[in-house]
Amino acid sequence: MSTAILTGPPAPGSSLDGDLRSLGFDVRIASGAEEARVLLAAVPAGERVALVDPRFVGHLHALRLALTDPRFPAAAAPGALTAQREARPALARALEAVSTTAGAPGSGTLTDAQGLTDSLAEALDADGVAVHRPQLGTLVATVPTDAEARHAARAAVEAVDDEAVRLRSAVKAHDGFFTTFFISPYSRYIARWCARRGLTPNQVTTASLLTALIAAGCAATGTRGGYVAAGVLLIVSFVLDCTDGQLARYALKYSTMGAWLDATFDRAKEYAFYAGLALGAARDGDDVWALALGAMVLMTCRHVVDFSFNEANHDATANTSPTAALSSKLDGVGWTVWARRMIILPIGERWAMIAVLTAVTSPRIVFWALIVGCAFGACYTTAGRVLRSLTRKAKRTDRAAQALADLADSGPLARLVSKAARRRPAPAPLLALLGAAVVLAFAVGAEPFGSWSTVAAAAGYAVLAGIAVSAPLKGALDWLLPPLFRAAEYGTVLVLAARSDAAQALPAAFGLVAAVAYHHYDTVYRIRGGTGAPPAWLVRVTGGHEGRTLLVTVLAALLADRGDDFTLALTALAVAVALVVLVESIRFWVSSGAPAVHDEGETA
């Protein structure tokens, strides 16, 4: 249990003791700084400790935000401070220093203008411990110093509905149109219902995954009834997908396991549903595996554009451009905000479209709609970001360059070339584009299928990719490297599987791309959490993007006349990659050092 130490007896009529107990704190009362220090030392080192000014007046949810959020080592609001295990030593030092000062002649008492908790928060900041201060908005958190101020503070508390604010804040601030107007108005109440019954976000996330898998199974039946059920269940899965995040924000139940589930299950659900649609179409004699894989490749490359652009400009200085200024102006016109969010086909709109089209049309139409919609969204967002990058004068940091290098996923071949390269003869994006174009052109046009010229093109791609990353990626358009590498690798696998005579080559290729894409999404969320890319050994073992591309072309050349063996090879490669990256990913995300990352913006 967490412990809350009141730095004096509560004011008459105060509900502070009961509020803290309702938040799960064992409440203890100190008579001064010295006794507070003794009580703090008595609390086990691994437990959370809160120090609260007994004069505190505010909403219960203000206390909840300040004292119970598990994502921050230390947090504070006026009159309240909390420290988790990582920040406990710094808090003990600060309390000892403040206690010594308070005991000095002429130092005053703890009820002076600045209370003990505020002094401690400043001391923690000075000691290098970042103290999180939540945005309270209309919520009240104050320390009145006289009866009149206390009366005014209590009146302010009564004037604001604490629960209504809590429900509103459970919803993301930047969701898409469909999610905002068709899901969140009722999913927030489902989240509250779950919280009151002790359900966790992880349980809701798992329910969302299971619902999507059942939907995929319904789609795989290939019947109209199955398609209708699949569409309905997909919407239910999305409602639960929104609910889990709202439950986490409503109850402040963030966790490293929840971060991992939230970061991976969305992709798992969507890929599984694509596979279900492809299986259902096959039952009707329509082979759409190439379209399913094409949709997955396009969507993943589009996401990588988002991720790499954001990382490249995460902490850029002088980050201004006419394009950004125009976007800011358009943000002031309400309807343009929603229009621009909708046309990029974010997850809410995309899942709604898939659900409706699945129920009333065929899998082939679903995939073509996805490809057209995602292609338009990708062109729109990429063009805008290219214009911003070319027109802004920004100095990119070493951190941004390292993040792009990690997202590039360069393997041993590319790293060997990058070390041997004396200089980069052309801009990195141009080299990456040239390499991707060469390997894809040979994969498409080389005759016969499995020609060794495609292997040579893949080797050339590895060389160009290595030269592209031979210098820090700080150029204006260097963020294009990761999506270009993804397009080259995934596209080569798709084209070679489509050209193979083996009947099951495309499903095997679908599994391989899904496994590799999981690795790339996992890398993104590790970087977002501030822990850096996966370990170097994992990239070496999985070969990097250029190594896997070369390996697939070699397998196609060696097994060109044995289609079933090519399918078997792709399947074995998919299983091997999936096992390695999943085991390492699970090990990391359940470890104590994993970040509790929860995305506050809707994934496109």
Side-chain angles (χ1 to χ4, degrees), residues 13-14 18 59 68 75 92 120 122 128 154 192 388 407 420 483 542 579 595:
S14 172
H59 287 99
T68 67
L120 290 173
E122 292 180 2
R154 286 177 173 172
R192 181 171 67 180
R388 289 192 184 194
L407 289 173
T542 55
L579 283 176

Side-chain angles (χ1 to χ4, degrees), residues 47-86:
E47 291 186 6
R48 175 193 290 272
V49 172
L51 285 151
V52 184
D53 194 305
R55 300 166 296 176
F56 177 89
V57 175
H59 287 99
L60 175 62
H61 192 51
L63 279 176
R64 181 182 290 108
L65 291 171
L67 302 182
T68 67
D69 195 323
R71 296 172 296 176
F72 308 104
L81 170 72
T82 186
Q84 297 201 70
R85 175 180 54 82
E86 310 95 293

Side-chain angles (χ1 to χ4, degrees), residues 114 269 291 351 405 481 509 518 576:
Q114 184 176 35
K269 289 181 287 189
L291 293 177
W351 280 37
L481 261 68
Y518 175 88

Side-chain angles (χ1 to χ4, degrees), residues 286-330:
D286 189 11
D287 187 355
V288 297
W289 277 105
L291 293 177
L293 182 51
M296 183 169 69
V297 169
L298 182 58
M299 185 184 67
T300 304
C301 291
R302 175 186 158 193
H303 283 162
V304 176
V305 168
D306 298 340
F307 298 143
S308 59
F309 178 82
N310 291 337
E311 289 302 325
N313 296 281
H314 180 269
D315 47 8
T317 57
N319 200 0
T320 59
S321 74
T323 308
L326 175 61
S327 179
S328 298
K329 289 182 179 180
L330 290 175

Side-chain angles (χ1 to χ4, degrees), residues 13 20 34 88 228 313 339 373-374 443 455 498 507 551 564:
L20 289 170
E34 177 59 28
R88 285 280 301 276
V228 172
N313 296 281
C374 287
V455 177
L551 177 58
D564 290 341

Side-chain angles (χ1 to χ4, degrees), residues 260-278:
W260 177 64
L261 297 178
D262 187 60
T264 57
F265 277 14
D266 279 351
R267 303 286 78 79
K269 289 181 287 189
E270 198 158 0
Y271 295 167
F273 196 80
Y274 290 179
L277 284 174

Side-chain angles (χ1 to χ4, degrees), residues 516-574:
V516 175
Y518 175 88
H519 166 57
H520 290 143
Y521 280 109
D522 184 54
T523 301
V524 167
Y525 283 99
R526 292 194 196 210
I527 294 173
R528 280 186 172 183
T531 59
W537 70 261
L538 180 64
V539 178
R540 289 195 299 269
V541 168
T542 55
H545 68 94
E546 81 289 350
R548 291 186 297 268
T549 303
L550 181 60
L551 177 58
V552 171
T553 61
V554 169
L555 292 174
L558 292 175
L559 305 174
D561 298 329
R562 294 177 289 171
D564 290 341
D565 288 346
F566 182 56
T567 297
L568 183 61
L570 288 179
T571 303
L573 183 57

